[in-house]
């Protein structure tokens, strides 16, 4: 509602801002692209749209301003007067009137120029018309700039006005400056009004809220009023006068009886009498403040007389209301500093106000609407017998006993406090355990034993079951022993020699398997050479002899034959030996070619004392050369091919070969210290 | 505090170890270590994974039904504390453990009962079939027992003759000057 919330008025922009806003909006929200090649109607429409758009926006915004600012005649007279006091009604109305005129002028401008645009014959002319229209509108706004600024200031000030509800229960505090009005309101409400030793600390109205009998009361603190003729009053005083005049509230007139405000009681009394007209029909209470500085009894007679006069006046208002002229509800003393009597004052004021309001309501017509809806039903008494509630004697006794016990019993809390307080003492929860034997209360039972949960085994008759189990177990054991006796001898055991043979067989089998696996893996890449080209000289006749004898055969015949037929012996005569008698001596072929001197002199026997180096041209059977001349030739060609390269020191095949371009050990890992820019 | 069983391998989970997984149907799976947890996540069936207790029980490798297992049962009703019962229980646990271990050992030995016989049979068969790898058929004919053949070494006469020359009567090898002495003696005897 406008009445209460002046905070909702939209911001009034300054003249320049206003123009900027509207023009930029026009720029953004109307089409911007136009070429002179368009149809003339299209051009006209384009510019007319801009003009109308601008006019509409101005109209909207100005209307919003005019509507949102309150009309002083329409709002509660309190606010009307307040605003008048603060801002000058005429000035305010004038400003708003100017806005209104501006709005109308802009409307007219737009209308005129739209009419002209209808007959624009070229892009340029239309454009000029539009520019002129917009320009004139903006000038209008520029002219009302000061009004806009003034309204903006008013709006800001209005937003900060206290939200006073003129119709609700209100208590008004008035009096000379510095009598203690703000201190009082600070005491009874949560308002935090400035309290300072100089006059006119409070410059405007302040609102606080307080509660009494489940109802909310507004408490309004006013600036101090001086005793002056009405016309001479300044704005601040006029605020409080306005409040006094228009708000139907309980009035607390504050008196400073100590005189520390700088004004004597006489002056304050004079003020009272001058404004007592404003206290018409309002519950009035005279409050004497600062009694800690000057008690009421210590006042001079004149002062007391003045005070009594005021009291009399106040009482009269009470009588006028029709209530009893209670002394206490008219005249009270208090001290805001020492909190002495503050609550009493508040209660008195609230009470008086409440009564007055209730009475007013009762007198008004509206009350009938409410009364028609209430009906309090009271049961009719049957007879005059008294029937009090009946409590059996036992219950009463029990109650009495319980009370006594409660006082005597020692609580856990007391125990806790005795033994060091909350963080130190931990209650013994086992105290109240119900066990067969009270000694067991502090027992600790293990939960886990040898990898088992003890709770899984707990059983009252576990012993009995254990005995059964043990009995079973013995039975099983006997059975097992009996069976074992039957089961002893098989009779098919192997003798140690047979075991030896078996071990040997297995060894040989595993050897075969290993060899096969090796051969298998290299089968594709290994050249297969016949056994006669045996470079490592593994396959000798001695070896054969050993293997044969291991198999249990006599190797002599076989070795002899092998030796006779071996290549190294070709061309040699049969050896005469005693042991050879009776053996089959094969006729040997004497191959003249093979009996070269070299073959003869070259020892084929594998004696460790002799070296294995050979002259360069000598060809061993497994190499792939036909004869030694071929081999020599091959060697020569090989040497020739590398001669030039070596002589010129060029890089060859074997130089700088990096077999493993990224060895893991060089490229991985962190360093404890140092950089890893190179590895 | 309770010792739980791992869902996968059935070993005990001590406090502070392992992971518990609660499925959307509120079934709780406890695992003793990440190995079991990862196997579970791979959706492996513990009954098919050789090293788990579930497999071993299913395939009869470990004891399944026994009265010792019935003594250890999760009881859901709490019992009132009784010191004697607690004492007996603790003693009983140890004895039951011993009995259970003995029974498991017996089960194992029963399982392994026929092994020796089978092994012996297999060894005999292998020996018979593969004796040719270490013994030539000729040697087998001469000596039909299934043992390693005796190695024959022919010694030449000169060797036997030289034997007394190179070794003294006791059979100890002679030093070089002993031998020289012997040869000069023999030479001398020949000359004379």
């Amino acid at each position: 509602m406008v009445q209460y919330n002046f905070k909702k008025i939209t911001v009034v922009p300054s003249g320049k801002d206003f123009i900027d806003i509207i023009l930029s909006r026009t720029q953004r929200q109307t089409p911007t692209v136009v070429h002179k090649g368009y149809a003339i109607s299209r051009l006209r429409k384009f510019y007319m749209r801009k003009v109308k758009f601008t006019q509409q926006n101005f109209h909207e915004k100005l209307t919003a301003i005019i509507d949102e600012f309150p009309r002083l005649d329409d709002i509660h007279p309190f606010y009307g007067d307040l605003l008048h006091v603060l801002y000058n009604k005429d000035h305010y109305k004038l400003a708003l009137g100017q806005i209104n005129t501006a709005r109308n002028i802009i409307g007219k401008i737009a209308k005129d120029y739209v009419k002209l645009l209808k007959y624009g014959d070229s892009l340029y002319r239309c454009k000029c018309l539009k520019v002129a229209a917009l320009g004139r509108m903006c000038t209008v706004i520029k002219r009302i700039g000061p009004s806009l600024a003034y309204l903006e200031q008013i709006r800001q000030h209005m937003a900060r006005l206290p939200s006073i509800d003129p119709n609700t229960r209100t208590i008004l505090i008035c009096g000379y400056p510095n009598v203690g009005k703000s201190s009082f309101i600070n005491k009874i409400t949560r308002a935090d009004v400035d309290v300072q030793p100089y006059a006119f600390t409070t410059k405007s109205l302040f609102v606080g809220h307080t509660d009494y009998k489940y109802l909310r009361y507004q408490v309004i603190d006013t600036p101090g009023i001086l005793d002056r003729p009405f016309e001479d009053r300044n704005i601040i005083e006029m605020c409080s006068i306005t409040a006094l005049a228009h708000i139907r509230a309980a009035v607390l007139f504050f008196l400073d009886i100590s005189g520390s405000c700088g004004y004597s009681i006489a002056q304050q009394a004079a003020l009272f009498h001058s404004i007592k007209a404003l206290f018409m029909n309002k519950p009035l209470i005279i409050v004497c403040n600062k009694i800690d500085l000057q008690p009421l009894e210590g006042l001079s007679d004149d002062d007391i007389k003045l005070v009594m006069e005021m009291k009399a006046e106040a009482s009269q208002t009470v009588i006028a209301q029709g209530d009893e002229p209670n002394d206490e509800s008219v005249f009270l003393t208090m001290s805001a500093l020492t909190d002495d009597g503050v609550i009493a004052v508040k209660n008195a004021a609230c009470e008086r106000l409440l009564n007055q309001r209730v009475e007013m309501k009762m007198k008004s017509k509206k009350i009938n609407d409410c009364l028609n809806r209430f009906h309090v039903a009271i049961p009719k008494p049957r007879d005059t017998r008294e029937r009090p509630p009946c409590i059996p004697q036992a219950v009463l006794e029990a109650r009495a006993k319980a009370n006594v016990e409660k006082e005597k019993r020692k609580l856990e809390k007391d125990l806790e406090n005795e033994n060091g307080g909350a963080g130190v003492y931990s209650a013994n929860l086992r105290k109240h355990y119900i066990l067969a034997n009270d000694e067991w209360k502090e027992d600790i039972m293990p939960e886990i034993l040898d990898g088992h949960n003890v709770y899984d085994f707990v059983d009252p008759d576990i012993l009995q079951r254990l005995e059964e189990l043990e009995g079973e177990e013995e039975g099983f054991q006997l059975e097992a022993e009996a069976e074992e006796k039957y089961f002893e001898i098989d009779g098919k055991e192997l003798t140690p020699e047979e075991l030896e043979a078996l071990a040997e067989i297995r060894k040989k089998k595993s050897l075969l398997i290993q060899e096969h696996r090796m051969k298998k893996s290299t089968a594709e890449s290994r050249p297969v050479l016949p056994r006669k080209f045996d470079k490592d000289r593994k396959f000798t006749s001695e070896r054969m002899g050993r293997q044969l004898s291991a198999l249990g055969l006599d190797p002599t015949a076989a070795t002899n034959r092998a030796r006779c037929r071996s290549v190294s012996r070709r061309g040699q005569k049969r050896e005469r030996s005693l042991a050879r008698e009776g053996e089959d001596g094969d006729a040997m072929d004497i191959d003249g070619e093979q009996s070269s001197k070299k073959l003869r002199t070259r020892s084929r026997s594998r004696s460790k004392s002799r070296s294995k180096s050979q002259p360069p041209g000598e060809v061993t059977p497994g190499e792939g050369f036909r004869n030694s001349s071929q081999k020599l030739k091959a060697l020569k060609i090989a040497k020739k091919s590398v001669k030039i390269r070596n002589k010129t020191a060029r890089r060859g095949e074997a130089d700088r070969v990096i077999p493993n371009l990224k060895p893991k050990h060089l490229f991985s890992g962190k360093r404890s210290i140092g950089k890893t820019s190179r590895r | 505090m309770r010792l739980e069983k791992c869902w996968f391998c059935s070993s005990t989970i001590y406090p502070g170890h392992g992971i518990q997984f609660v499925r959307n149907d509120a079934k709780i799976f406890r695992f003793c270590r990440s190995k079991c947890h990862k196997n579970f996540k791979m959706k492996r069936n513990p009954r098919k994974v050789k090293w788990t207790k579930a497999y071993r029980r299913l395939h009869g490798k470990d004891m399944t039904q026994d009265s010792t297992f019935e003594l250890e049962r999760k009881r859901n009703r709490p019992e009132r504390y009784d010191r004697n019962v607690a004492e007996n229980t603790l003693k009983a646990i140890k004895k039951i453990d011993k009995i259970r271990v003995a029974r498991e050992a017996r089960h194992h030995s029963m399982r392994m009962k026929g092994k020796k016989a089978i092994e012996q049979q297999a060894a005999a068969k292998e020996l018979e079939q593969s004796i040719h790898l270490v013994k030539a058929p000729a040697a087998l004919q001469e000596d039909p027992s299934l043992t390693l053949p005796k190695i024959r070494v022919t010694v030449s006469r000169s060797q036997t003759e030289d034997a007394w020359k190179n070794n003294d009567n006791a059979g100890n090898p002679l030093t070089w000057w002993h031998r020289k002495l012997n040869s000069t003696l023999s030479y001398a005897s020949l000359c004379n």
Side-chain angles (χ1 to χ4, degrees):
Chain A
M1 264 210 314
V2 171
Q3 208 167 9
Y4 303 108
N5 210 350
F6 297 131
K7 301 186 214 282
K8 292 254 178 76
I9 306 176
T10 45
V11 180
V12 178
S14 74
K16 231 164 70 123
D17 282 342
F18 206 156
I19 295 169
D20 283 339
I21 292 168
I22 301 291
L23 286 182
S24 66
R25 191 182 286 185
T26 315
Q27 172 82 351
R28 272 182 294 127
Q29 302 202 350
T30 50
T32 50
V33 180
V34 73
H35 298 300
K36 65 179 188 209
Y38 289 173
I40 190 64
S41 59
R42 189 171 166 188
L43 292 169
R44 286 178 192 148
K45 207 163 78 164
F46 176 85
Y47 286 111
M48 278 201 288
R49 185 167 169 186
K50 289 210 182 250
V51 172
K52 272 197 250 180
F53 188 86
T54 315
Q55 181 264 327
Q56 264 170 7
N57 278 338
F58 272 127
H59 183 90
E60 268 172 29
K61 282 207 166 275
L62 292 171
T63 317
I65 293 171
I66 292 168
D67 287 341
E68 283 188 359
F69 272 91
R71 263 194 276 190
L72 295 179
D73 306 322
D74 286 348
I75 53 180
H76 193 273
F78 163 64
Y79 274 108
D81 258 1
L82 187 66
L83 292 177
H84 171 57
V85 160
L86 291 169
Y87 315 128
N88 195 358
K89 193 158 60 173
D90 302 326
H91 210 165
Y92 177 82
K93 277 191 182 171
L94 269 172
L96 283 177
Q98 267 200 340
I99 307 277
N100 197 18
T101 358
R103 183 175 61 170
N104 293 340
I105 292 173
I106 287 176
K108 282 209 198 96
I109 293 170
K111 221 170 17 176
D112 291 338
Y113 275 87
V114 163
K115 253 193 259 185
L116 286 174
L117 268 169
K118 273 204 276 203
Y119 303 106
D121 47 5
S122 73
L123 174 95
Y124 178 71
R125 201 167 299 228
C126 291
K127 186 172 179 183
C128 286
L129 285 170
K130 167 217 143 205
V131 167
L134 260 54
R136 275 181 67 177
M137 289 191 228
C138 293
T139 330
V140 169
I141 298 295
K142 247 198 319 193
R143 274 212 309 264
I144 62 164
S147 299
L148 289 170
Y150 172 71
L151 283 171
E152 172 62 19
Q153 281 201 347
I154 288 183
R155 183 198 72 87
Q156 282 178 357
H157 196 270
M158 278 208 296
R160 292 200 194 101
L161 286 179
S163 51
I164 298 173
D165 183 356
N167 295 325
T168 182
R169 302 162 286 273
T170 320
I171 298 175
L172 213 57
I173 311 174
C174 59
Y176 251 85
N178 258 7
V179 296
K181 304 186 288 294
S182 302
S183 319
F184 176 68
I185 195 176
N186 281 346
K187 284 283 180 222
I188 55 170
T189 69
R190 280 200 68 181
D192 205 6
V193 187
D194 256 356
V195 175
Q196 299 283 354
Y198 58 87
F200 290 103
T201 316
T202 313
K203 295 188 196 54
S204 64
L205 301 171
F206 283 96
V207 189
H209 293 86
T210 182
D211 297 310
Y212 179 74
K213 281 192 183 168
Y214 310 111
L215 291 171
R216 208 121 246 225
Y217 286 77
Q218 255 179 176
V219 185
I220 301 183
D221 180 24
T222 64
I225 313 168
L226 296 171
D227 191 14
R228 282 207 282 223
F230 192 75
E231 300 73 27
D232 292 346
R233 294 198 192 276
N234 58 30
I235 297 177
I236 303 175
E237 290 173 332
M238 283 309 292
C239 280
S240 25
I241 301 288
T242 317
L244 271 174
H246 293 286
I247 303 182
R248 250 179 343 108
V251 179
L252 292 173
F253 187 85
F254 268 58
L255 261 182
D256 180 3
I257 53 178
S258 69
S260 61
C261 62
Y263 305 99
S264 68
I265 295 183
Q267 285 171 308
Q268 297 182 42
L271 170 68
F272 177 79
H273 289 297
S274 60
I275 60 173
K276 67 182 173 195
L278 291 168
F279 300 149
M280 266 320 179
N281 291 337
K282 298 193 176 77
L284 174 64
I285 298 180
I286 315 285
V287 179
C288 292
N289 200 8
K290 305 194 190 174
I291 55 167
D292 54 321
L293 293 174
Q294 167 82 0
L296 188 60
E297 293 74 28
L299 276 180
S300 66
D301 285 336
D302 293 336
D303 293 333
I304 290 179
K305 206 176 76 177
L306 288 165
V307 172
M308 287 306 138
E309 270 179 38
M310 288 202 278
K311 197 167 91 173
E313 282 287 341
S315 316
Q316 277 196 346
T317 58
V318 178
I319 295 166
Q321 269 187 319
D323 278 334
E324 70 280 15
N326 189 353
D327 220 14
E328 282 308 309
S329 63
V330 177
F331 180 79
L332 289 159
T333 58
M334 61 166 255
S335 168
L337 201 66
T338 59
D339 272 350
D340 187 20
V342 171
I343 308 286
V345 169
K346 175 192 126 185
N347 288 348
C350 294
E351 191 69 41
R352 288 272 304 274
L353 183 65
L354 192 62
N355 291 338
Q356 196 221 20
R357 283 174 74 97
V358 166
E359 274 209 36
M360 294 294 295
K361 283 210 174 107
M362 297 291 276
K363 285 187 201 156
S364 76
K365 283 192 203 158
K366 270 199 194 170
I367 197 69
N368 294 329
D369 303 335
C370 293
L371 274 178
N372 289 339
R373 295 197 203 138
F374 292 134
H375 174 68
V376 179
I378 302 169
K380 251 194 329 193
R382 228 181 342 168
D383 50 25
T384 51
R385 237 174 85 183
E386 257 203 42
R387 293 186 176 85
C390 171
I391 306 173
Q393 191 61 27
V395 170
L396 284 171
E397 278 172 15
R399 277 195 201 162
K401 212 164 70 160
N403 281 336
V404 168
E405 249 192 41
K406 229 202 230 178
E407 284 151 28
K408 271 204 299 186
R409 189 177 63 177
K410 187 171 190 191
L411 302 170
E412 277 288 339
K413 209 169 166 64
D414 301 331
L415 199 59
E416 183 186 70
N417 288 333
E418 273 171 35
N419 292 10
V424 179
Y425 171 78
S426 70
N428 185 6
L429 300 166
R430 291 166 173 255
K431 261 197 317 203
H432 300 292
Y433 278 7
I434 305 167
L435 295 174
N437 187 343
D438 279 341
E439 283 179 352
W440 300 342
K441 277 188 189 172
E442 303 296 323
D443 266 3
I444 302 170
M445 179 157 155
E447 297 176 39
I448 294 172
L449 181 67
D450 285 348
H452 300 284
N453 291 308
V454 173
Y455 294 142
D456 289 347
F457 283 90
V458 156
D459 199 349
D461 35 301
I462 193 161
L463 282 179
Q464 182 209 354
R465 296 177 77 179
L466 183 65
E467 274 183 36
E468 285 173 16
L469 189 73
E470 286 183 334
E472 255 183 51
E473 183 65 17
E474 273 182 60
F476 282 150
Q477 263 192 333
L478 290 171
E479 271 183 45
E481 278 174 30
E483 270 196 46
E484 260 188 58
K485 286 183 192 153
Y486 286 130
F487 197 66
E488 268 179 7
I489 306 161
D490 204 1
K492 280 198 189 168
E493 283 213 27
L494 297 172
T495 61
E497 293 92 14
E498 289 186 336
L499 284 173
E500 236 187 279
L502 188 63
E504 195 61 38
I505 291 171
R506 287 188 175 152
K507 205 161 89 175
K508 219 169 181 175
K509 276 192 181 169
S510 73
L511 266 173
L512 283 173
I513 292 169
Q514 270 179 32
E515 264 187 47
H516 171 73
R517 283 185 184 153
M518 280 200 304
K519 280 191 201 165
K520 194 169 74 163
S521 65
T522 57
E524 286 179 2
S525 53
R526 197 172 53 93
V528 182
L529 284 178
R531 204 173 267 190
K532 62 181 179 175
F533 300 135
D534 161 37
K535 263 175 94 173
D536 301 328
R537 314 238 176 103
K538 280 194 298 198
F539 301 100
T540 58
S541 54
E542 274 152 11
R543 188 170 179 241
M544 186 184 76
R546 274 203 302 276
Q547 286 179 344
L548 283 174
S549 58
L551 279 177
L553 300 167
D554 189 10
T556 44
T559 41
N560 284 339
R561 177 155 171 74
R563 281 183 188 144
C564 286
R565 292 187 67 75
S566 75
V567 171
S568 60
R569 266 179 147 266
R570 294 238 185 113
Q572 287 178 3
K573 280 196 186 158
R574 205 166 54 186
E575 214 181 81
R576 287 183 200 276
S577 140
L578 295 162
R580 277 288 179 82
E581 281 171 323
E583 268 205 336
D584 241 356
D586 288 346
M588 282 191 296
D589 299 335
I590 299 169
D591 204 343
E593 281 178 39
Q594 292 299 328
S595 61
S596 60
K597 203 176 181 184
K598 283 186 184 168
L599 283 174
R600 230 189 296 135
T601 51
R602 184 73 208 145
S603 163
R604 293 279 179 215
S605 67
R606 207 195 308 160
S607 73
K608 288 183 191 167
S609 54
R610 300 225 182 192
S611 69
K612 288 199 183 152
S613 62
Q614 298 177 349
E618 180 139 359
V619 62
T620 53
E623 277 176 349
F625 290 111
R626 211 181 306 131
N627 46 29
S628 70
S629 62
Q630 198 189 44
K631 187 174 179 184
L632 285 168
K633 206 170 173 186
L635 284 171
K636 202 168 167 190
I637 296 169
K639 275 194 204 162
K640 196 175 170 188
S641 70
V642 295
K643 183 177 176 188
I644 296 174
R645 186 199 79 196
N646 285 347
K647 238 187 141 88
T648 52
R650 289 211 178 280
R651 198 163 101 170
E653 302 140 2
D655 298 327
R656 296 278 162 151
V657 171
I658 304 171
N660 189 2
L661 274 174
K662 283 190 99 174
K664 189 169 172 188
H665 71 282
L666 296 178
F667 283 89
S668 65
K670 298 183 189 174
R671 289 201 188 177
S672 57
I673 197 167
K675 292 187 272 185
T676 47
S677 58
R678 51 169 187 280
R679 281 193 177 269
Chain B
M1 208 189 346
R2 255 193 83 84
L3 298 177
E4 304 287 351
K5 292 271 176 228
C6 174
W7 184 84
F8 197 81
C9 64
S10 314
S11 63
T12 51
I13 305 176
Y14 276 84
H17 290 259
I19 288 180
Q20 262 175 246
F21 165 62
V22 181
R23 211 165 49 180
N24 278 349
D25 61 356
K27 183 155 162 53
I28 301 179
F29 296 88
R30 296 174 217 265
F31 305 105
C32 61
R33 56 201 195 283
S34 63
K35 178 178 178 182
C36 303
H37 186 45
K38 283 177 182 162
N39 271 306
F40 173 77
K41 284 197 280 189
M42 272 194 271
K43 296 194 175 177
R44 284 205 183 143
N45 189 353
R47 286 162 190 251
K48 293 196 180 176
V49 178
K50 288 261 169 63
W51 50 273
T52 57
K53 205 81 175 147
Y55 176 95
R56 290 188 67 81
R57 291 226 175 93
L58 187 69
H59 288 74
K61 317 261 180 209
D62 276 349
M63 201 162 60
T64 348
Q65 291 173 333
D66 200 40
S67 43
T68 44
F69 296 144
E70 281 158 38
L71 281 168
E72 177 177 6
R73 218 181 355 110
K74 184 175 179 190
R75 283 149 237 267
N76 288 320
R77 253 187 349 156
E79 298 271 337
R80 203 177 282 279
Y81 176 72
D82 192 327
R83 191 186 275 182
N84 304 322
V85 170
E87 225 180 283
N88 295 337
T89 312
L90 291 170
K91 288 188 198 151
I93 289 177
K94 294 209 182 246
K95 289 193 193 152
I96 292 169
D97 247 357
K98 238 180 18 188
I99 293 174
R100 200 193 72 237
V101 163
R103 286 196 186 177
E104 278 189 8
R106 210 181 310 129
H107 178 269
H108 180 81
S109 61
M110 290 295 283
R111 196 154 68 91
M112 297 293 150
K113 233 179 4 185
K115 187 171 165 192
K116 213 166 159 193
I118 295 169
E119 272 181 8
Q120 280 174 357
Q121 271 185 9
K125 191 168 169 198
E126 191 181 352
L127 187 60
E128 206 190 302
Q129 285 185 341
S130 314
I131 191 68
H132 63 275
L133 288 176
V134 292
K135 198 166 184 184
L140 193 62
Q141 261 185 351
E142 287 173 25
D143 175 24
S145 74
L146 294 173
T147 54
L148 287 172
K150 294 195 177 47
I151 302 174
R152 279 199 213 138
V153 180
T154 40
V155 178
S156 57
R157 232 170 115 211
S158 55
Q159 281 183 320
T160 48
E161 278 172 15
D162 286 334
W164 72 263
K165 273 193 197 166
N166 283 333
N167 299 329
D168 65 7
N169 288 339
N172 301 328
L174 298 169
T175 57
W176 70 272
W177 57 267
H178 272 134
R179 269 187 252 129
K180 200 124 174 105
L181 197 61
N182 281 341
S183 62
T184 45
L185 280 173
S186 62
Y187 184 64
S189 65
L190 275 174
C191 289
N192 294 345

